Amino acid sequence: MRPLPSPARNPYWRFLVAGFRGQSAYPLAMLAGLVANATFGLLKGGIMGAAVESAGGELAGYSAATMAAFVWLGQGMLGSVNLWGGSDLQTRIKSGDVAVDFLRPVSVQAAHVLTDIGKGLFALLPRGLPSVVIGILVSSMALPPSAGAFALGLLSLLIGIAVSHASMYAVATTGFWLVESRGISVFYMAFSGFFAGLFTPIYLFPDWLLTVALLTPFPSMMQLPIDVLSGQVTGTAAWQHVGVQLLWLAVVLGVGHLTTRAGRRRLEVQGG
């Protein structure tokens, strides 16, 4: 009987681990990110807390505790979800190095997305967890009501990270046609943070704008994981959140796959 293959021999597992290890090479950048998270978390927490208090103790379904959880969980996720529009793939397309990627016997999409997810997972350690600890110390933020809810929240968080990087990969593939895709990235950055719940909970939006937000993958990156992790939604509603996230993950991966295939046919390398 042949032994089962070791995960360490799987090339896609190695891409994930490489991203995780590669991000660990920048401890000072992680520290600077944590300081920024804490600083803006205190400012944002004060503003949102005052908004809840002025509304009589509840605002769009948020109490002071759940609003504090929204603020600090969001700050903890900033280093892990890609709302900033950057991607190594953009540089490799512009330079023509992506042609080498296509020669390898692995999926270009999986290689880039898994590497970026690995980077995001590492950022949870020096930036994510300390940010949440700071939030617990300086506020009465809500916590998951049970171990099961916490486990589901972690799953939702992982899916949110994956959705963000898979979406950015799909955006980066526009470089096959545009070559210089930084404008698209800036456009993506402007909308992703707003609709993901980076600034305020999307439930504070007018009904029409909330509907627009929910028709995009952006809430699945941050707002929905925060809802599940904080206990803002529980039971069937929490599972529905995860189901929506999985749906959007399948959509953005599918779009990225199709644009990669089309882009490969379109690829022109200077001098080649």
Side-chain angles (χ1 to χ4, degrees):
M1 183 176 179
R2 297 180 61 183
L4 294 176
S6 169
R9 297 179 181 178
N10 187 303
Y12 298 109
W13 172 258
R14 291 186 178 184
F15 284 123
L16 184 69
V17 172
F20 189 92
R21 290 179 176 174
Q23 199 70 354
S24 67
Y26 307 100
L28 291 180
M30 292 291 122
L31 177 60
L34 175 59
V35 171
N37 285 0
T39 301
F40 285 100
L42 291 170
L43 293 172
K44 186 176 177 181
I47 294 170
M48 300 307 296
V52 172
E53 184 178 355
S54 65
E58 183 174 325
L59 179 63
Y62 283 87
S63 65
T66 53
M67 185 63 81
F70 166 81
V71 170
W72 288 105
L73 289 173
Q75 292 302 113
M77 293 174 64
L78 286 180
S80 298
V81 297
N82 190 342
L83 302 175
W84 318 113
S87 172
D88 290 340
L89 180 64
Q90 290 173 301
T91 303
R92 296 188 67 80
I93 291 175
K94 185 176 181 180
S95 67
D97 290 340
V98 71
V100 178
D101 297 341
F102 282 126
L103 295 176
R104 295 170 180 157
V106 293
S107 165
V108 172
Q109 180 185 25
H112 281 277
V113 172
L114 286 172
T115 300
D116 289 339
I117 290 175
K119 294 177 182 179
L121 292 177
F122 177 82
L124 290 174
L125 301 179
R127 291 184 62 177
L129 289 177
S131 294
V132 173
V133 171
I134 293 172
I136 293 173
L137 293 176
V138 303
S139 70
S140 57
M141 63 176 284
L143 298 173
S146 66
F150 178 70
L152 185 60
L154 290 181
L155 174 62
S156 180
L157 172 62
L158 177 60
I159 299 172
I161 293 171
V163 171
S164 74
H165 292 292
S167 298
M168 188 58 230
Y169 174 89
V171 171
T173 59
T174 60
F176 287 120
W177 292 270
L178 301 177
V179 181
E180 180 55 80
S181 57
R182 283 183 295 181
I184 299 296
S185 295
V186 172
F187 185 80
Y188 172 88
M189 180 175 64
F191 282 91
S192 63
F194 183 70
F195 287 132
L198 175 61
F199 308 111
T200 66
I202 63 173
Y203 309 114
L204 299 182
F205 293 172
D207 290 343
W208 68 269
L209 189 57
L210 175 60
T211 300
V212 172
L214 294 175
L215 291 175
T216 72
F218 303 126
S220 293
M221 301 175 188
M222 182 174 282
Q223 180 70 67
L224 301 192
I226 291 175
D227 287 347
V228 179
L229 266 174
S230 65
Q232 180 73 3
V233 295
T234 58
T236 302
W239 281 104
Q240 288 175 343
H241 272 39
V242 173
V244 170
Q245 287 183 280
L246 289 172
L247 175 61
W248 277 114
L249 179 59
V251 169
V252 295
L253 285 174
V255 170
H257 174 71
L258 293 175
T259 54
T260 300
R261 290 184 60 183
R264 184 172 186 171
R265 293 191 296 267
R266 175 67 176 77
L267 179 63
E268 294 180 7
V269 179
Q270 184 175 1

